Amino acid sequence: MTPRELVYATLEFRNHTGIVPRQMWTLPWSEWNHGEMVEKIHRDFPDDITGALCDFKEKTIEEGEPYRYGVSRDAWGCIVTNIHEGVIGEVRDPLVQDDDWEDVEKIHIPREWLSFDRDQVNQFCRNTDRFVTGGCCPRPFEQLQFIRTTENLYMDLMDIPYRMKNWMEKMHGFYCELLEEWAKTEVDAINFMDDWGSQNSLLISPRLWREIFKPMYQDYIAIAKRYHKKIFMHSDGYILDILPDLTEMGLDAINSQIFCMGVNNLEPFAGKITFWGEMDRQHLLVEGCPADIRNAVEQVRDTLWKRGGCIAQCEFGPGAKPENVYEVFRAWAGKKEGTNQNTARMTKKERVWAAIRHKEGDRVPKGELYIQPQIANKLLGEEYPLDYQHFERDRKVRELLHMDLVNVGDWPEWEIGKTDDGKKVIQSVYGQMFLLGEESKCLLKPPVDIEDAADYQEPDINKVTGDLVAKYAEETDFFVFAQVGGPISMLNEMYPMEDYMVNCITYPEETHILSEKVIAFEIKKAKLFLDRGADAILIADDMAFNTGVFLPPYVMEENVYPFYKQMIQEIKAYKNVPVFLHSDGNLNSVMDHLVACGFDGIQSIQPSAGMDIRSIKEKYGDRLCLWGNIDLDYMMCFGTIEEVQADVRNTIEAAGTDGGFILSTCNTMVDIIPPENIFAMIREADRS
């Protein structure tokens, strides 16, 4: 399931997966004081629910920064004083000071909120598979408190002045108009809120609540239902007295202090309304230990989960111990005794490891060998540099596409001059020289004449840093493949392809000498990458056309397979990690040899080259993890959304059972793929 589908299934009590959707709320306090832990939780336990992002065409009257020390003004004109850095302040002086509300004109209704960018909201919803809530949140009771202060409002509610009543009707009308505009967008849900409880009772009598505020909430819920949206509410404190009303009105999810009311007291509502969190932030998160958190999560699950009915929501606010907030989400994601193994949500690394070890995971892992910069920018809607590798761009696009792995390498090269027309001439660490074009490079000079192979010097490993490998390993939760070259690809880059093929036949000894030196360097690179945090090694070594391998069998026996075996043996002796091979083309004639070399997996499985993944899975699936297979010649680039979805379903059905499969295109995500086909591929895979 996608996160969006998971949330819908949970709200509708048809979640048979046992996986509980999650959402962490943060205040600036936690981000400023515990930023690293906030990032870690988001990496390890990504939110399934997100708020819509949009801009406003009209500026509100807000002034100042409400989460900083000092005074600010909100969009209604209320003056907020803050004495606690990182949390919201409070209104100390009423905006409307007259008990008869004669100065009601001081209140500014923020109709600027109606100028939100609808197209931006809709595009945001289409570009994510998370469940999206709208960017508005009516709060009539609290807004009245901000305008009058709490003490004055309580007096007003005993005998409501007619000017106040008229203004409340205007406020409610505005809220309804705003909700309706948001409900017309493609968001999945809209929200409202009001904090109604003290620690042991409602702040006003249930009778007064039902008389004044319940009709407003009924209107909000009716708007949501009219546009087929889910509707969520937040309310702190003890609100047990009005939960029957909220449930009967059709509220889908309530965010409330369930431990304040007593979890067992809420059992009658299980299966009728979804409890959108929360964990006890007054005591457990502040004073408890991880064991207390696990017990609390288990109590909520046992009491309130009915094939749905719970969302693992938690607020990371002032005083909360970071390790306790982390434990909330780890406990919810953990395996529950008596359930299937794959009902526990896995981390990205766990998911890829399960595939490599031929074990069933919570879903099929995903990850591209490479994503071209142009299509990455198009998917992100941003203009990052078109560098071959760019950490922020490549990280963000993989997170957008819910990928579980990244493939990264290090190929040092430097400028050594320019041509007469100003084009750069570069030299690689292997010694060859290239003419650098706008999007490609052209070989100018091989590093050595083939007859002089014995004079070739092994490349300098000190020129390789592995910094990007380390950055992914340290700052993301992706499974990190580090790419090195093989005996075919590295020599094929040193010479024009036709010269390389001729050299293999006419200069076999010299070719072998070059291969020895280059492969010794590639092994050193692999070890360096492992020291920098790589989880696995990928040997990229294209060896085939669509019709078959382009080197004769005896050349493969003499100058290819022995080097594969050497690389795999030395890498695994250094650190026992998986070693994969990438090669496009038709490999059917050499599959037995590749398996015998000791590879753990193979990437590409190009269907247009005759690589049938079903038969390959049947023959080699117990020894190789298969990675790739989604067609680029037609399907991804020119197929319809429905064709892409069907192809992904068929591929997962053929290769994804019992682990041993990673989904990707059969080479790289190229710029000519329509973005809608990429999102269709990802959505379909997430349903697996």
Side-chain angles (χ1 to χ4, degrees):
M1 285 186 173
T2 66
R4 176 179 282 125
E5 292 167 338
L6 182 67
V7 176
Y8 272 111
T10 300
L11 294 170
E12 295 166 4
F13 304 98
R14 53 180 178 81
N15 181 347
H16 299 277
T17 69
I19 299 173
V20 179
R22 60 198 171 210
Q23 184 184 32
M24 179 172 69
W25 291 2
T26 60
L27 292 173
W29 176 89
S30 56
E31 294 168 352
W32 297 341
N33 291 281
H34 302 287
E36 290 185 4
M37 180 58 84
V38 170
E39 291 181 6
K40 178 175 174 59
I41 295 172
H42 279 310
R43 285 197 307 268
D44 292 353
F45 308 107
D47 286 349
D48 295 301
I49 301 173
T50 187
L53 298 179
C54 71
D55 297 317
F56 294 87
K57 298 173 184 177
E58 298 179 20
K59 191 176 184 301
T60 69
I61 65 170
E62 291 172 285
E63 295 178 346
E65 298 185 34
Y67 289 96
R68 294 290 187 184
Y69 291 123
V71 175
S72 61
R73 180 170 70 163
D74 70 12
W76 298 77
C78 301
I79 303 301
V80 180
T81 301
N82 193 351
I83 60 172
H84 298 290
E85 192 86 354
V87 298
I88 199 71
E90 62 180 27
V91 177
R92 295 183 174 181
D93 298 312
L95 182 64
V96 172
Q97 299 184 2
D98 186 83
D99 292 344
D100 292 327
W101 283 63
E102 291 185 357
D103 50 354
V104 69
E105 71 280 354
K106 293 181 180 178
I107 307 171
H108 173 78
I109 294 180
R111 298 193 63 82
E112 300 87 359
W113 289 350
L114 292 166
S115 71
F116 70 92
D117 190 331
R118 279 80 167 161
D119 293 337
Q120 187 182 14
V121 171
N122 291 336
Q123 191 63 43
F124 178 87
C125 294
R126 293 167 195 161
N127 287 345
T128 182
D129 60 2
R130 289 190 287 177
F131 186 93
V132 182
T133 59
C136 66
C137 191
R139 53 199 306 181
F141 179 59
E142 291 187 351
Q143 194 57 59
L144 287 168
Q145 291 181 74
F146 300 155
I147 289 168
R148 283 286 284 152
T149 70
T150 303
E151 317 85 77
N152 290 327
L153 178 62
Y154 284 161
M155 297 300 295
D156 293 342
L157 290 174
M158 296 301 99
D159 185 13
I160 300 177
Y162 77 92
R163 290 187 183 88
M164 174 183 169
K165 185 175 182 180
N166 290 341
W167 187 85
M168 287 174 62
E169 291 175 355
K170 290 181 182 179
M171 174 187 66
H172 179 59
F174 166 69
Y175 276 144
C176 288
E177 183 181 0
L178 185 62
L179 277 180
E180 185 141 9
E181 289 302 310
W182 273 97
K184 291 176 183 176
T185 69
E186 297 178 26
V187 299
D188 300 294
I190 51 180
N191 327 285
F192 64 95
M193 68 175 288
D194 270 322
D195 285 343
W196 276 114
S198 66
Q199 289 300 289
N200 50 29
S201 67
L202 285 184
L203 294 175
I204 65 174
S205 71
R207 178 197 61 78
L208 195 59
W209 180 88
R210 294 186 178 102
E211 177 184 333
I212 299 175
F213 294 96
K214 181 177 178 178
M216 297 184 188
Y217 296 164
Q218 286 176 315
D219 288 344
Y220 303 156
I221 294 171
I223 291 169
K225 301 305 179 185
R226 186 160 66 249
Y227 289 92
H228 308 290
K229 306 295 182 184
K230 300 299 183 183
I231 188 155
F232 289 21
M233 179 185 178
H234 161 78
S235 185
D236 281 342
Y238 188 97
I239 60 169
L240 195 60
D241 293 335
I242 61 174
L243 265 179
D245 300 80
L246 296 171
T247 303
E248 291 165 8
M249 287 191 290
L251 186 69
D252 292 292
I254 180 73
N255 177 260
S256 59
Q257 293 180 278
I258 58 178
F259 286 88
C260 174
M261 293 180 281
V263 175
N264 291 334
N265 292 331
L266 302 176
E267 189 168 11
F269 302 97
K272 299 177 182 178
I273 193 170
T274 292
F275 290 91
W276 176 28
E278 68 171 4
M279 189 52 57
D280 177 13
R281 53 190 150 91
Q282 292 175 299
H283 303 289
L284 272 178
L285 292 179
V286 178
E287 302 165 359
C289 66
D292 298 325
I293 300 297
R294 291 192 295 273
N295 291 335
V297 168
E298 201 66 20
Q299 181 189 10
V300 175
R301 190 199 298 266
D302 289 344
T303 306
L304 302 179
W305 179 263
K306 303 291 181 183
R307 289 176 301 185
C310 294
I311 294 172
Q313 180 275 344
C314 176
E315 180 179 281
F316 195 164
K321 294 179 182 177
E323 63 272 20
N324 283 349
V325 179
Y326 188 90
E327 191 63 34
V328 169
F329 294 102
R330 181 159 60 181
W332 275 112
K335 179 180 177 183
K336 180 174 168 58
E337 186 177 356
T339 63
N340 295 329
Q341 175 184 351
N342 66 348
T343 61
R345 193 191 312 239
M346 291 178 164
T347 65
K348 294 179 175 67
K349 288 183 185 289
E350 290 171 341
R351 196 171 290 125
V352 177
W353 272 117
I356 292 172
R357 291 165 175 159
H358 304 276
K359 297 182 182 296
E360 187 174 357
D362 60 340
R363 65 165 173 78
V364 169
K366 304 184 294 296
E368 289 294 314
L369 187 72
Y370 182 64
I371 302 176
Q372 285 190 348
Q374 295 87 345
I375 190 64
N377 284 348
K378 195 179 296 182
L379 293 168
L380 292 170
E382 300 185 47
E383 292 298 325
Y384 284 101
L386 300 181
D387 303 348
Y388 183 78
Q389 296 183 132
H390 186 282
F391 175 77
E392 191 65 18
R393 178 198 71 208
D394 296 342
R395 176 188 63 80
K396 287 181 70 174
V397 75
R398 280 165 175 77
E399 289 177 347
L400 173 68
L401 299 178
H402 296 161
M403 292 188 176
D404 299 289
L405 62 87
V406 64
N407 177 55
V408 62
D410 193 347
W411 302 273
E413 56 189 27
W414 50 90
E415 183 179 344
I416 60 172
K418 291 186 178 179
T419 62
D420 293 339
D421 58 356
K423 292 183 178 178
K424 293 181 179 179
V425 177
I426 60 174
Q427 181 173 337
S428 84
V429 71
Y430 301 95
Q432 65 266 50
M433 298 179 190
F434 296 99
L435 180 65
L436 188 63
E438 290 185 5
E439 296 185 4
S440 63
K441 53 189 180 183
C442 176
L443 180 66
L444 288 178
K445 183 181 178 182
V448 65
D449 291 336
I450 190 64
E451 296 93 338
D452 301 323
D455 297 331
Y456 179 73
Q457 298 297 310
E458 179 185 322
D460 184 2
I461 191 62
N462 293 315
K463 293 187 180 296
V464 180
T465 68
D467 286 347
L468 197 55
V469 173
K471 194 169 180 66
Y472 276 106
E474 294 167 3
E475 299 182 22
T476 78
D477 58 347
F478 293 123
F479 186 99
V480 180
F481 277 92
Q483 180 176 323
V484 298
I488 298 175
S489 62
M490 299 321 301
L491 269 66
N492 196 12
E493 289 188 9
M494 291 181 174
Y495 300 90
M497 184 172 183
E498 58 274 16
D499 289 356
Y500 162 71
M501 295 175 69
V502 170
N503 290 343
C504 287
I505 297 170
T506 59
Y507 294 96
E509 292 183 9
E510 288 80 1
T511 298
H512 194 88
I513 290 171
L514 279 179
S515 296
E516 284 181 330
K517 296 179 179 182
V518 169
I519 293 307
F521 174 69
E522 295 303 306
I523 292 171
K524 290 178 182 177
K525 279 178 64 177
K527 293 177 179 179
L528 184 150
F529 292 156
L530 293 173
D531 288 340
R532 301 306 305 273
D535 298 296
I537 299 297
L538 175 79
I539 300 174
D541 216 34
D542 282 331
M543 65 183 72
F545 301 120
N546 282 4
T547 53
V549 179
F550 52 66
L551 291 174
Y554 77 89
V555 174
M556 297 291 288
E557 292 281 0
E558 294 174 0
N559 267 335
V560 179
Y561 302 141
F563 289 112
Y564 287 159
K565 292 177 182 178
Q566 177 191 352
M567 295 180 78
I568 293 169
Q569 288 169 3
E570 291 196 32
I571 290 169
K572 286 182 175 290
Y574 187 72
K575 285 188 181 180
N576 189 20
V577 298
V579 181
F580 276 54
L581 172 74
H582 160 77
S583 178
D584 297 333
N586 188 327
L587 306 180
N588 287 310
S589 65
V590 297
M591 285 297 294
D592 287 340
H593 296 283
L594 297 177
V595 171
C597 287
F599 285 107
D600 297 284
I602 186 165
Q603 200 280 338
S604 184
I605 324 291
Q606 185 181 341
S608 61
M611 298 290 285
D612 178 65
I613 199 164
R614 189 178 295 274
S615 62
I616 293 172
K617 175 79 171 183
E618 290 175 358
K619 191 171 183 180
Y620 305 105
D622 60 335
R623 289 166 287 174
L624 287 177
C625 177
L626 308 179
W627 174 11
N629 193 241
I630 302 301
D631 176 57
L632 285 165
D633 285 300
Y634 168 77
M635 186 60 65
M636 289 300 295
C637 297
F638 307 107
T640 65
I641 289 175
E642 291 74 22
E643 287 175 323
V644 170
Q645 291 172 324
D647 190 47
V648 171
R649 282 197 302 273
N650 292 337
T651 301
I652 292 175
E653 187 273 328
T657 55
D658 301 322
F661 178 62
I662 300 169
L663 182 84
S664 75
T665 63
C666 63
N667 191 291
T668 62
M669 275 192 176
V670 292
D671 187 36
I672 64 171
I673 302 176
E676 57 268 25
N677 280 2
I678 293 174
F679 287 121
M681 168 185 167
I682 299 306
R683 285 195 298 268
E684 194 63 39
D686 280 339
R687 295 189 181 101
S688 66

